[in-house]
């Protein structure tokens, strides 16, 4: 074991890990990054197929973003954001509203995805309280949804792996079964579906609408539960129903925003405007922590009054509106606009999808391949006909991940789902390299 690895394990508790695994599989110490590649301290390179937890859009060591950060650090690193402001925050606000769904007009700054969700939940609850709907205290969220790790965010995250152990201290919410296109309980396919799965949501809202303040949802893709993709019609119906019953729709765009699904935001597929939208991750191109909660004038105005009436939203973070983070977020948005990123991704995402399907679709343990934009997922099953899943405890994905790492590819599966979410700068040749290593790793494990 390298001395740096030893020092790491003496002091550091890594996230989303069973540290006992590190006894035989110590952390890889990364020294530098360039494009889609990361390089460890021994010079070995790795393809970053997951954009370093879905945040890196335009490659590591991106010169444009580097220069924006260097320029900003020479003028202002941080300032309290209460009663003070600065040019990067103002410019970022203008630019993000230009690409946001029509009707979103006010921005509240946070510093990570979980904090954005916490802000959204509190905003919705306080909003309804202040406009006279004091019974609206409950949240609806989808089974297998994921919205973060803090207590409020975890309360609306219905993926048991992350939340079950904390049930006794979580906020009580209403859970509705999520769309499951691969194992549809209505025996429909993606081609024959009429969003029958929405019936449960409709019934739940109609029966409980007087108590519901908001529905929170990951638009188009439930990422952490295995890249589960569902039709835009579900979002359209949900928006119509929440409007009818004065329920806020919170769109958690943290993982799916900024082009990842092929549209700038996931809700753009359905051409809807949520009441509250959370963004983070790709916002800064993978450089610095920052999140935004984007909402409507209607919600904003419910908090606008004399201070004495205590209608203010008394929520803050020390690093809210950090100028360094705002400056790289501005450059990220500039790259989208000036380099026609979304147009380029149309061709690249099609190549990614076709390449994965050509190599994986006929393999014995591949149950489904699902793609949307620059997300492509492969769900592994014991039996293709019955769709019987592998036991989570078998750690099939984890074992394939280790083989891939030995061969210079970072996969980081979600249970038994292998997925590709590479930086947008990846070339077709690099896509081929990435997929072929994944295929080799699959075949080596199942040989």
């Amino acid at each position: 074991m390298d001395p740096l690895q030893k020092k790491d394990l003496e002091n550091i508790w890594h996230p989303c890990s069973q540290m006992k695994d590190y006894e035989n599989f110590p952390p890889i110490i990364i020294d530098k990054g360039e494009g889609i590649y990361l390089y460890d301290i021994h010079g070995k390179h790795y393809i970053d197929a997951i954009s370093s937890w879905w945040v890196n859009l335009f490659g590591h060591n991106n010169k444009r973003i580097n220069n924006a950060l260097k320029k900003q650090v020479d003028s202002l690193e941080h300032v309290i954001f209460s009663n003070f402001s600065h040019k990067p925050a103002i410019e970022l606000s203008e630019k993000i509203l230009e690409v946001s769904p029509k009707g979103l007009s006010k921005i509240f700054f946070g510093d990570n995805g979980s904090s954005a969700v916490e802000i959204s939940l509190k905003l919705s609850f306080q909003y309804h309280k202040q406009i006279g709907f004091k019974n609206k205290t409950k949240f609806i969220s989808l089974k297998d949804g994921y919205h973060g790790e803090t207590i409020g965010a975890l309360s609306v995250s219905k993926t048991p792996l992350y939340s079950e152990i904390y049930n006794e201290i979580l906020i009580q919410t209403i859970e509705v079964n999520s769309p499951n296109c691969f194992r549809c309980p209505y025996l429909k396919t993606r081609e024959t579906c009429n969003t029958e799965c929405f019936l449960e949501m409709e019934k739940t809202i109609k029966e409980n609408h007087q108590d519901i303040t908001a529905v929170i949802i990951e638009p188009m893709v439930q990422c952490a539960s295995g890249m589960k993709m569902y039709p835009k019609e579900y979002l359209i119906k949900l928006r119509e129903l929440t409007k009818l019953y004065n329920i806020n729709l919170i769109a958690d765009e943290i993982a799916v925003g900024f082009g990842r699904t092929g549209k700038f935001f996931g809700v753009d597929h359905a051409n809807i405007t949520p009441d509250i939208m959370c963004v983070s991750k790709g916002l800064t191109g993978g450089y610095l922590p920052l999140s935004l909660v984007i909402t409507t004038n209607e919600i904003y105005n419910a908090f606008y009054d004399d201070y004495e009436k205590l209608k203010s939203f008394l929520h803050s973070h020390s690093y809210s509106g950090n100028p360094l983070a705002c400056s790289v977020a501005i450059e990220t948005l500039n790259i989208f606009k000036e380099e026609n990123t979304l147009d380029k991704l149309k061709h690249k995402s099609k190549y990614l999808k076709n390449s994965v399907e050509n190599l994986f679709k006929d393999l014995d343990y591949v149950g489904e391949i699902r793609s949307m934009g620059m997300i492509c997922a492969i769900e592994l099953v014991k039996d293709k006909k019955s769709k019987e899943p592998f036991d989570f405890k078998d750690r099939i994905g984890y074992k394939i991940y280790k083989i891939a790492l030995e061969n210079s590819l970072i996969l980081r599966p979600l249970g038994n789902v292998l997925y590709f979410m590479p930086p947008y700068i990846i070339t077709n040749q690099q896509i081929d390299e990435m997929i072929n290593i994944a295929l080799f790793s699959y075949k080596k494990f199942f040989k």
Side-chain angles (χ1 to χ4, degrees):
M1 188 181 295
D2 185 271
L4 281 176
Q5 291 175 318
K6 289 181 180 178
K7 289 181 180 180
D8 177 289
L9 295 178
E10 285 173 4
N11 302 304
I12 297 176
W13 191 341
H14 287 268
C16 207
S17 300
Q18 172 48 258
M19 293 305 297
K20 186 173 176 59
D21 285 345
Y22 286 56
E23 293 176 5
N24 300 312
F25 187 33
I28 297 166
I29 313 298
I30 297 298
D31 181 53
K32 64 179 182 178
E34 188 67 42
I36 70 161
Y37 298 103
L38 292 165
Y39 296 81
D40 68 20
I41 54 175
H42 304 294
K44 182 177 179 178
H45 77 272
Y46 303 84
I47 297 175
D48 188 357
I50 59 164
S51 297
S52 288
W53 251 341
W54 320 344
V55 299
N56 189 289
L57 302 187
F58 299 113
H60 298 279
N61 195 22
N62 182 283
K63 297 302 183 287
R64 287 191 60 167
I65 301 177
N66 286 358
N67 290 334
L69 180 57
K70 291 173 184 176
K71 182 178 179 181
Q72 181 59 43
V73 81
D74 285 333
S75 59
L76 178 66
E77 81 300 336
H78 189 62
V79 63
I80 183 174
F81 208 53
S82 179
N83 272 119
F84 293 86
S85 191
H86 49 80
K87 289 181 180 179
I90 295 166
E91 184 179 351
L92 173 58
S93 298
E94 289 181 322
K95 286 183 176 294
I96 198 70
L97 289 176
E98 286 176 3
V99 295
S100 295
K102 186 178 180 181
L104 296 180
S105 54
K106 288 292 188 290
I107 299 168
F108 196 93
F109 284 73
D111 52 20
N112 62 71
S114 294
S115 75
V117 171
E118 296 283 345
I119 290 164
S120 298
L121 300 179
K122 291 174 68 177
L123 273 176
S124 179
F125 170 82
Q126 190 175 342
Y127 162 74
H128 277 120
K129 194 176 185 68
Q130 290 176 177
I131 64 171
F133 292 88
K134 296 183 179 180
N135 289 334
K136 284 185 171 287
T137 61
K138 295 288 187 181
F139 297 94
I140 291 181
S141 54
L142 291 179
K143 181 180 179 181
D144 295 329
Y146 176 84
H147 302 285
E149 303 286 358
T150 48
I151 293 298
L154 207 55
S155 297
V156 292
S157 296
K158 300 302 181 180
T159 302
L161 176 65
Y162 305 103
S163 62
E164 190 171 31
I165 195 170
Y166 302 106
N167 279 343
E168 293 174 307
I169 61 171
L170 297 181
I171 302 165
Q172 294 304 303
T173 61
I174 300 171
E175 178 181 336
V176 172
N177 283 317
S178 58
N180 191 340
C181 298
F182 179 44
R183 296 182 177 89
C184 178
Y186 299 93
L187 304 180
K188 301 291 183 177
T189 66
R190 294 184 189 273
E191 291 73 31
T192 63
C193 163
N194 193 31
T195 54
E196 288 82 358
C197 54
F198 188 73
L199 292 173
E200 183 183 348
M201 176 67 80
E202 183 177 34
K203 181 175 185 291
T204 302
I205 288 178
K206 286 182 176 179
E207 291 177 353
N208 300 278
H209 66 91
Q210 292 180 337
D211 300 322
I212 299 167
T213 180
V215 178
I216 185 168
I217 192 167
E218 300 161 90
M220 303 304 293
V221 187
Q222 290 186 292
C223 292
S225 63
M227 302 300 166
K228 294 181 178 178
M229 301 173 186
Y230 61 91
K232 65 182 181 181
E233 287 76 17
Y234 192 98
L235 290 176
I236 294 170
K237 291 181 178 182
L238 182 59
R239 176 68 286 192
E240 290 173 352
L241 199 61
T242 50
K243 278 185 177 180
L244 180 63
Y245 288 108
N246 185 28
I247 295 169
N248 294 147
L249 178 60
I250 302 173
D252 179 353
E253 293 271 354
I254 291 162
V256 298
F258 301 99
R260 187 54 72 176
T261 65
K263 300 280 188 180
F264 206 92
F265 293 113
V267 292
D268 293 341
H269 288 273
N271 195 29
I272 63 168
T273 299
D275 300 288
I276 302 171
M277 189 168 75
C278 307
V279 299
S280 190
K281 286 193 181 289
L283 172 62
T284 63
Y287 271 64
L288 290 167
L290 180 65
S291 64
L292 305 176
V293 176
I294 313 172
T295 190
T296 62
N297 276 329
E298 181 181 355
I299 290 178
Y300 172 82
N301 288 335
F303 294 81
Y304 197 87
D305 211 327
D306 293 333
Y307 196 90
E308 289 76 11
K309 295 183 181 179
L310 295 179
K311 286 191 173 183
S312 302
F313 187 53
L314 298 179
H315 183 107
S316 63
H317 293 271
S318 300
Y319 282 90
S320 290
N322 177 258
L324 301 176
C326 289
S327 66
V328 298
I330 291 167
E331 192 61 19
T332 295
L333 294 176
N334 287 341
I335 293 172
F336 267 103
K337 185 175 182 178
E338 295 167 13
E339 299 186 9
N340 299 313
T341 298
L342 289 181
D343 285 339
K344 292 178 181 177
L345 289 183
K346 290 177 184 177
H347 306 287
K348 201 167 291 187
S349 60
K350 185 176 180 180
Y351 187 87
L352 172 64
K353 175 181 182 292
N354 291 340
S355 299
V356 172
E357 288 181 345
N358 288 339
L359 290 179
F360 277 90
K361 67 179 179 180
D362 295 325
L363 299 179
D364 291 342
Y365 301 103
V366 173
E368 183 181 49
I369 297 172
R370 42 188 179 263
S371 297
M372 186 175 296
M374 289 299 285
I375 307 173
C376 191
I378 305 166
E379 182 158 348
L380 305 179
V381 295
K382 274 187 180 180
D383 182 83
K384 294 184 73 146
K385 187 175 181 181
S386 68
K387 302 180 183 179
E388 180 186 358
F390 284 106
D391 192 317
F392 179 79
K393 293 179 181 178
D394 291 338
R395 306 185 77 188
I396 303 299
Y398 175 75
K399 292 169 183 176
I400 294 174
Y401 158 68
K402 288 182 69 175
I403 297 171
L405 266 182
E406 292 171 1
N407 291 275
S408 299
L409 177 65
I410 303 173
L411 278 180
R412 187 79 190 183
L414 294 160
N416 298 315
V417 177
L418 311 179
Y419 69 92
F420 305 100
M421 286 179 69
Y424 300 161
I425 62 163
I426 193 169
T427 65
N428 288 353
Q429 183 179 356
Q430 290 169 334
I431 287 174
D432 291 340
E433 182 184 5
M434 174 180 74
I435 296 170
N436 276 296
I437 296 174
L439 178 64
F440 170 83
S441 303
Y442 168 97
K443 288 183 174 180
K444 185 171 182 180
F445 176 76
F446 283 115
K447 66 179 181 182

